[in-house]
Amino acid sequence: MNITSKDSLITSDEIANMFTSKFSEVDLSLFAASEQEAIGVEHFLVEPKCNQNLLGGTFDFEAFHSQKFFDVEDFSGAIEYDEIKADFNAVHSNLTREAQEETPELLEEMLQVAGDEVLDGKTRLPTCEEFILDAKPADEVTILGHGSCKVSCVGNVGLGRYSPDFHERDSAAEISNMSSASVPALESTYNQNSPVLDEMTVQELHEAFKSMFGRETSVTDKQWLKCHLLFGLQNQVQLDNGLNLIKRDTTSYKIGGKTVCFSSCDSSGSATGSINSVLVDKTMAVGWHVERKRFAGLDTLKTSSEDSKIDLCSLDGGDEALVTQKRLRKPPKRYIEESMEDKSRYCKRKNGDCEVVYKESREKLLSVRSHKRLYPKGFGAAPMVCQDKSFKGSCIQVPFGLPVEEGHTETDSSSWNSEDFKDDRLSSPNEEVDTEPHSARSQDEICGDGFITRSSTQKVSSHRKHHISWTSSEVMKLIEGVTRCGVGRWAEIKRLMFSSSSRRTPVDLKDKWRNLLRASYAQLQCKRKVKQGQKQVSNQVPESVLWRVRELSTTYPYQRERKFKVSCTDSSNFSASTNNILVPLST
DNA sequence: TTTAGGG
DNA sequence: CCCTAAA
């Protein structure tokens, strides 16, 4: 069942529209704060009934799947990162057709979450958004908008449980999980609530609410307060646990002399899921399933190609929060990894450099959205990454430049010295500091395991290779390899000449060759300009070697660098270059 | 997986 | 040296 009509195709732009203008027109009360919190309460409290109806058998994903009411593959496949192309109409019709007798309205409502009917939906939307918006100060609401709220909802509520599966496009599994596993937990947890919260008076709950969300509330409904507090608490757990940024066994809140603890199972176990689900509106099942797919990357940090990025930067006090959706270049994996372990706590604003101070509660709520913070490509030299507090810092800034390589000194020309380059073992005595155990003298094998020793000295999980200077022997081997195999056959050269060296990859060889070529060319330039005062820039590599490089480059010209070569020096008397095309000397 | 090329 | 695209 793969009827993807144009009507059901919702682009992100449309969603944005729907969530700003139209949606707010439909029901502004959803975004209201204190005075209308009652609405939130109402919606919130209504949910269980609705859920029971839905989940009591009427709406069963498993059944749907098995009965082929819609094709799960198509369903998941259609929901791509930037576009939601799911065939909601088809789903909708099937669902309603099937279950109309029982709770047609509820189904209707539920499906509107995902379908485009959401635009004119008179019925209320699931309370997840309402809830979160409701829990925020009013001044943020308009800025945040609906889409970001979605993210928060998704990120906070559901991801932890499913994160391990995100990379698999196995919607069937997820869906069946949803119908079978998470729902019972959800129901029970919801009804049980926290005993600690039960004991608390309304005043204490108010206090707790204030400390958690940073504002007062006029609502005196205990249940409502408890729900909100639970939500906040589970946010804590979620952040600490589900996102795996930091592992903590318990998350505790000091509330009016009482301490509410939430234990969190490590590594996103199912228990987390139950906690997560406490406040999830079950009618969101369809809706946020879709959304979740869309923002899957938020949780795992496993960046998959280019997906919708939630660009958020919360400013001091949270008086404004910019939420933009951008399509940006994905940051290098290393960048992310280094970000994760960076201890820096500073986050610079785009235009300034004020340190960001989050309010606790807001930070928790927002940070999930900012979890996958990306930087614009041309953003300057200091992209920023806002992370949640689990990092011990609101934001971290990772310099774009390469990490400073401590303790390594360039080998400079000493490796070549006046000696010929055959004395590779003598070369660059400072090189083996972290690489080659030169005691093992043999010219080829020295490279064999140096890498291992280096890895132990590296920062954990930083896959950045330290700069390893090329030794004269390596250069010679490279040249030899090029001589034999030709330029471009780096893998072969690697196999032939560097088989024992785990630290030089074919790409390295390629890069080195490119550098050599440049060096040789630069040398030519310098030479031609007979500026005696000019120090030989390329003194790292003996001229003879560069000559050889040039020779080879004429023999095996790079298409691209062809314009370099030959030029002067009568192109040597290198006999082998019989068939080389001597490019006429430019200028 | 390898290669080329940009950064 | 890293990253990505293309093959």
Side-chain angles (χ1 to χ4, degrees):
Chain A
M1 195 154 297
N2 189 12
I3 316 155
T4 308
S5 64
K6 280 185 178 177
D7 296 339
S8 62
L9 190 141
I10 306 174
T11 67
S12 51
D13 283 342
E14 293 173 53
I15 291 174
N17 287 336
M18 123 184 16
F19 288 151
T20 52
S21 56
K22 293 185 181 176
F23 182 74
S24 56
E25 285 170 17
V26 169
D27 192 357
L28 279 173
S29 65
L30 299 184
F31 298 85
S34 50
E35 303 86 13
Q36 309 195 20
E37 278 169 349
I39 295 175
V41 177
E42 182 181 316
H43 291 176
F44 187 68
L45 294 179
V46 161
E47 294 315 323
K49 163 184 163 238
C50 148
N51 293 336
Q52 280 173 359
N53 284 339
L54 285 171
L55 299 165
T58 304
F59 186 76
D60 187 346
F61 269 112
E62 231 163 357
F64 271 94
H65 184 217
S66 60
Q67 296 174 30
K68 295 284 183 195
F69 277 97
F70 62 88
D71 188 337
V72 175
E73 274 307 308
D74 291 339
F75 189 73
S76 67
I79 303 167
E80 287 303 340
Y81 293 106
D82 285 322
E83 289 184 328
I84 299 182
K85 298 178 184 173
D87 185 5
F88 294 113
N89 287 337
V91 176
H92 175 265
S93 59
N94 283 316
L95 284 174
T96 46
R97 193 190 316 144
E98 174 63 15
Q100 213 158 13
E101 321 99 63
E102 304 216 11
T103 55
E105 288 187 3
L106 289 172
L107 275 174
E108 193 78 27
E109 181 177 309
M110 175 175 65
L111 290 164
Q112 279 171 357
V113 175
D116 36 11
E117 297 100 320
V118 72
L119 294 182
D120 12 80
K122 288 286 176 279
T123 53
R124 49 185 178 70
L125 290 171
T127 58
C128 189
E129 295 91 334
E130 301 171 15
F131 183 81
I132 293 177
L133 286 176
D134 202 30
K136 283 177 184 309
D139 56 350
E140 271 187 39
V141 168
T142 52
I143 299 172
L144 285 172
H146 191 84
S148 65
C149 176
K150 277 271 190 187
V151 181
S152 177
C153 172
V154 171
N156 285 337
V157 174
L159 286 181
R161 174 186 180 84
Y162 295 98
S163 53
D165 297 327
F166 273 166
H167 57 284
E168 306 169 1
R169 293 167 56 92
D170 190 358
S171 281
E174 293 180 21
I175 290 176
S176 47
N177 270 346
M178 176 154 320
S179 63
S180 58
S182 79
V183 167
L186 185 150
E187 285 172 342
S188 60
T189 316
Y190 179 82
N191 292 331
Q192 285 169 4
N193 269 347
S194 166
V196 183
L197 291 179
D198 280 334
E199 293 171 6
M200 297 171 68
T201 68
V202 173
Q203 191 184 350
E204 286 171 330
L205 289 171
H206 272 175
E207 206 177 324
F209 185 94
K210 186 182 178 185
S211 79
M212 180 174 294
F213 296 110
R215 68 173 183 127
E216 312 244 12
T217 179
S218 59
V219 176
T220 56
D221 183 278
K222 255 185 116 174
Q223 187 69 10
W224 185 91
L225 290 166
K226 275 154 54 183
C227 290
H228 279 69
L229 288 171
L230 278 172
F231 183 83
L233 286 169
Q234 75 88 10
N235 253 324
Q236 299 277 327
V237 175
Q238 180 67 30
L239 287 176
D240 294 344
N241 180 19
L243 295 177
N244 278 332
L245 299 178
I246 194 170
K247 288 191 179 168
R248 203 188 299 175
D249 286 331
T250 58
T251 301
S252 60
Y253 253 96
K254 193 90 171 180
I255 303 173
K258 301 177 182 180
T259 301
V260 181
C261 291
F262 267 66
S263 65
S264 63
C265 57
D266 45 6
S267 75
S268 68
S270 57
T272 313
S274 65
I275 295 177
N276 293 342
S277 309
V278 169
L279 296 171
V280 182
D281 180 359
K282 286 176 224 170
T283 61
M284 286 291 287
V286 170
W288 78 254
H289 199 68
V290 172
E291 290 291 332
R292 183 166 57 80
K293 194 75 183 175
R294 192 168 165 225
F295 293 104
L298 279 174
D299 183 70
T300 57
L301 271 185
K302 168 180 170 295
T303 58
S304 58
S305 71
E306 304 181 279
D307 33 6
S308 295
K309 305 305 191 294
I310 304 306
D311 189 317
L312 176 141
C313 187
S314 177
L315 307 175
D316 49 357
D319 54 347
E320 50 178 322
L322 307 172
V323 179
T324 58
Q325 255 183 325
K326 288 183 182 174
R327 198 181 170 88
L328 296 173
R329 184 175 178 232
K330 117 181 163 175
K333 194 164 80 178
R334 174 169 58 90
Y335 174 82
I336 294 175
E337 287 165 355
E338 289 174 355
S339 301
M340 302 290 279
E341 62 188 26
D342 196 306
K343 298 295 188 295
S344 172
R345 303 184 179 190
Y346 296 97
C347 177
K348 294 191 174 183
R349 289 183 57 174
K350 284 182 182 176
N351 47 4
D353 52 0
C354 62
E355 189 175 349
V356 173
V357 181
Y358 281 135
K359 273 188 182 173
E360 172 108 343
S361 60
R362 189 154 311 145
E363 176 184 335
K364 295 298 178 184
L365 288 172
L366 297 180
S367 56
V368 170
R369 269 164 291 169
S370 65
H371 189 52
K372 187 169 184 177
R373 176 72 161 81
L374 296 177
Y375 57 90
K377 181 72 183 296
F379 195 61
M384 51 191 173
V385 173
C386 296
Q387 302 288 359
D388 68 347
K389 197 185 177 184
S390 305
F391 272 22
K392 294 291 190 268
S394 303
C395 302
I396 56 179
Q397 175 196 352
V398 179
F400 195 24
L402 298 177
V404 178
E405 308 197 6
E406 66 281 6
H408 186 82
T409 56
E410 200 62 29
T411 56
D412 68 1
S413 56
S414 63
S415 36
W416 300 93
N417 268 345
S418 57
E419 300 274 343
D420 222 354
F421 21 81
K422 59 178 190 272
D423 60 339
D424 36 294
R425 8 179 241 288
L426 307 180
S427 64
S428 62
N430 47 359
E431 183 179 25
E432 73 282 8
V433 166
D434 59 350
T435 57
E436 299 185 355
H438 270 201
S439 54
R441 59 126 285 132
S442 71
Q443 61 173 15
D444 279 354
E445 279 65 23
I446 46 176
C447 325
D449 50 357
F451 187 82
I452 298 170
T453 64
R454 180 172 60 88
S455 63
S456 63
T457 65
Q458 274 180 333
K459 278 195 300 184
V460 198
S461 85
S462 175
H463 298 145
R464 176 80 155 96
K465 274 170 78 176
H466 282 152
H467 176 70
I468 307 170
S469 294
W470 278 73
T471 65
S472 53
S473 69
E474 282 177 317
V475 172
M476 292 315 297
K477 285 194 293 182
L478 174 60
I479 291 175
E480 170 73 10
V482 170
T483 307
R484 286 204 222 167
C485 310
V487 168
R489 315 180 65 173
W490 307 117
E492 195 173 339
I493 296 174
K494 154 79 179 170
R495 265 193 302 275
L496 230 62
M497 312 298 297
F498 294 85
S499 57
S500 58
S501 170
S502 61
R503 63 177 197 175
R504 302 293 184 203
T505 67
V507 175
D508 291 329
L509 304 186
K510 183 255 312 176
D511 287 337
K512 182 58 181 175
W513 182 256
R514 185 169 56 175
N515 289 337
L516 284 173
L517 222 52
R518 283 176 186 156
S520 67
Y521 182 60
Q523 189 198 37
L524 280 185
Q525 301 276 331
C526 294
K527 224 167 156 187
R528 204 186 297 170
K529 288 180 184 171
V530 199
K531 303 244 166 104
Q532 78 288 3
Q534 217 168 28
K535 199 171 175 227
Q536 291 276 331
V537 181
S538 56
N539 57 353
Q540 286 199 18
V541 181
E543 191 181 336
S544 52
V545 174
L546 295 181
W547 261 68
R548 178 73 175 142
V549 170
R550 272 195 302 276
E551 289 168 359
L552 287 169
S553 74
T554 60
T555 311
Y556 307 101
Y558 255 153
Q559 291 82 358
R560 193 63 184 273
E561 327 217 54
R562 217 161 136 172
K563 55 176 179 258
F564 287 165
K565 84 176 100 329
V566 183
S567 48
C568 81
T569 68
D570 62 11
S571 147
S572 79
N573 40 13
F574 194 45
S575 55
S577 53
T578 52
N579 60 345
N580 60 353
I581 310 101
L582 291 186
V583 175
L585 183 109
S586 63
T587 68

